[in-house]
Amino acid sequence: ESRSEIEEATRDYSSVNSRLPYPETKLWEQRELCDCITFTLRQVSIKGFNGKDGEMEFPRHLITKGAKLERLEIWCNHDWSSEGGKATLGLLSLPRSSIDVSILLKPPPNLLVGLEDGSQP
C-alpha cells in the first residue's frame, strides 16, 4: 500500500506543475504529509539524479519528514554538474527526522573512472 501511495503522490508530475498555484520547487513543501513517508518508508534509492532545483525537493522532503527512513541512496547521473554536486552535498547537513537514516551519495560513473586512473575530477 505504501508503494502505491508514493506512486500516486509522484504520478504525472510534469502535468501537475503547470496547474500549481505555487512554484514547482515548492511541491513537496506545500503537500500534506503522506503517512507512508512519515511512518512507513524505510529505504529509498534515487537513480539518475542531477541535483537540479526541481529534483532537490523530494530527497529534502524524505530526509526532513521520513521518521522511519533508514537508508537513502542517491545515484548521480553522468551529466551531474559541480553546482548540482554542491547542492546534493547540502542534503547531508539537513536536520533529519530519523536518527537512524544513512544518506549515501553515489558519484556518477564518469567521475569514478577519472579517479581510478589517477586523474583529478
Coordinates of all heavy atoms in Angstrom, one line a residue, residues 34-42 61-70 96-101:
C34 N 2.4 12.7 3.7 CA 1.9 11.4 3.3 C 2.3 10.4 4.4 O 3.5 10.3 4.8 CB 2.6 11.0 2.0 SG 2.2 9.4 1.3
D35 N 1.3 9.7 4.9 CA 1.6 8.8 6.1 C 2.6 7.8 5.7 O 3.4 7.4 6.6 CB 0.3 8.1 6.5 CG -0.6 9.0 7.3 OD1 -0.2 10.1 7.7 OD2 -1.8 8.6 7.4
C36 N 2.7 7.3 4.5 CA 3.7 6.3 4.2 C 5.1 6.8 4.3 O 6.0 6.1 4.7 CB 3.5 5.7 2.8 SG 3.7 6.9 1.4
I37 N 5.3 8.1 3.9 CA 6.6 8.7 4.1 C 7.0 9.0 5.5 O 8.0 8.7 6.0 CB 6.7 10.0 3.2 CG1 6.7 9.7 1.8 CG2 8.0 10.8 3.6 CD1 6.7 10.9 0.8
T38 N 6.0 9.4 6.3 CA 6.2 9.8 7.7 C 6.4 8.5 8.6 O 7.2 8.5 9.4 CB 5.0 10.6 8.2 OG1 4.8 11.7 7.3 CG2 5.3 11.1 9.6
F39 N 5.6 7.5 8.3 CA 5.5 6.4 9.3 C 6.0 5.0 8.8 O 6.1 4.1 9.6 CB 4.1 6.3 9.9 CG 3.6 7.5 10.5 CD1 2.6 8.2 10.0 CD2 4.2 8.0 11.7 CE1 2.1 9.4 10.6 CE2 3.7 9.1 12.3 CZ 2.7 9.8 11.8
T40 N 6.1 4.9 7.5 CA 6.4 3.5 7.0 C 7.7 3.4 6.2 O 8.4 2.4 6.3 CB 5.2 3.1 6.0 OG1 4.0 3.3 6.8 CG2 5.4 1.7 5.6
L41 N 8.0 4.4 5.3 CA 9.1 4.3 4.4 C 10.4 4.1 5.1 O 10.8 4.9 6.0 CB 9.1 5.5 3.5 CG 10.0 5.5 2.3 CD1 9.6 4.5 1.3 CD2 10.1 6.9 1.7
R42 N 11.2 3.1 4.7 CA 12.4 2.8 5.3 C 13.6 2.9 4.4 O 14.7 3.3 4.8 CB 12.4 1.4 5.9 CG 11.4 1.2 7.0 CD 11.6 0.0 7.8 NE 10.5 -0.2 8.7 CZ 10.4 0.4 9.9 NH1 11.3 1.3 10.3 NH2 9.3 0.1 10.7
H61 N 12.6 16.5 1.3 CA 11.3 16.1 1.9 C 11.5 14.8 2.7 O 11.1 14.7 3.8 CB 10.2 16.0 0.9 CG 8.8 15.7 1.5 ND1 8.1 16.6 2.2 CD2 8.1 14.6 1.5 CE1 7.0 16.1 2.6 NE2 7.0 14.8 2.2
L62 N 12.1 13.8 2.0 CA 12.3 12.5 2.6 C 13.2 12.6 3.9 O 12.9 12.0 4.9 CB 12.9 11.5 1.7 CG 12.1 11.1 0.5 CD1 12.9 10.2 -0.5 CD2 10.8 10.4 0.9
I63 N 14.2 13.4 3.8 CA 15.2 13.5 4.9 C 14.5 14.2 6.1 O 14.7 13.8 7.3 CB 16.4 14.2 4.5 CG1 17.2 13.4 3.5 CG2 17.3 14.6 5.7 CD1 18.3 14.1 2.7
T64 N 13.8 15.2 5.8 CA 13.2 16.0 6.9 C 11.9 15.5 7.5 O 11.5 15.9 8.6 CB 13.1 17.5 6.5 OG1 12.2 17.6 5.4 CG2 14.4 18.1 6.2
K65 N 11.2 14.7 6.7 CA 9.9 14.2 7.1 C 9.8 12.7 7.4 O 8.8 12.2 8.0 CB 8.8 14.6 6.1 CG 8.8 16.0 5.8 CD 8.4 16.9 6.9 CE 8.2 18.3 6.4 NZ 8.5 19.3 7.5
G66 N 10.8 11.9 6.8 CA 10.7 10.4 6.9 C 11.2 9.9 8.3 O 12.4 9.6 8.4
A67 N 10.3 9.8 9.2 CA 10.7 9.5 10.6 C 11.2 8.0 10.7 O 11.9 7.7 11.6 CB 9.5 9.7 11.5
K68 N 10.8 7.2 9.8 CA 11.3 5.8 9.9 C 12.3 5.5 8.8 O 12.8 4.3 8.7 CB 10.1 4.8 9.6 CG 9.0 4.9 10.7 CD 9.5 4.4 12.0 CE 8.4 4.5 13.0 NZ 8.8 4.0 14.3
L69 N 12.7 6.5 8.1 CA 13.7 6.3 7.0 C 15.1 5.8 7.6 O 15.6 6.3 8.5 CB 13.9 7.6 6.2 CG 14.7 7.5 4.9 CD1 13.9 6.6 3.9 CD2 14.9 8.9 4.3
E70 N 15.6 4.7 7.0 CA 16.9 4.1 7.4 C 18.0 4.3 6.4 O 19.1 4.4 6.8 CB 16.7 2.6 7.7 CG 15.7 2.3 8.8 CD 15.4 0.9 9.0 OE1 15.9 0.1 8.1 OE2 14.7 0.5 9.9
R96 N 17.5 15.9 10.2 CA 16.9 14.6 9.9 C 15.8 14.2 10.8 O 15.9 14.3 12.0 CB 17.9 13.5 9.9 CG 19.1 13.8 8.9 CD 20.2 12.9 9.1 NE 21.3 13.4 8.2 CZ 22.4 12.6 7.9 NH1 22.4 11.4 8.3 NH2 23.3 13.1 7.1
S97 N 14.7 13.8 10.2 CA 13.5 13.3 11.0 C 13.8 12.0 11.7 O 13.4 11.7 12.8 CB 12.3 13.2 10.1 OG 11.2 12.8 10.9
S98 N 14.6 11.1 11.0 CA 15.0 9.8 11.6 C 16.5 9.9 12.1 O 17.4 10.3 11.3 CB 14.9 8.8 10.5 OG 15.5 7.6 10.9
I99 N 16.7 9.5 13.3 CA 18.0 9.4 13.8 C 18.8 8.3 13.2 O 20.0 8.2 13.3 CB 18.1 9.4 15.4 CG1 17.4 8.1 15.9 CG2 17.5 10.6 16.0 CD1 17.6 7.9 17.4
D100 N 18.1 7.3 12.6 CA 18.8 6.1 12.1 C 19.1 6.2 10.6 O 19.7 5.3 10.0 CB 17.9 4.9 12.3 CG 17.6 4.6 13.8 OD1 18.6 4.8 14.6 OD2 16.5 4.3 14.1
V101 N 18.8 7.3 9.9 CA 19.0 7.3 8.5 C 20.4 7.5 8.1 O 21.2 8.2 8.7 CB 18.1 8.5 7.8 CG1 18.6 9.8 8.2 CG2 18.1 8.3 6.3

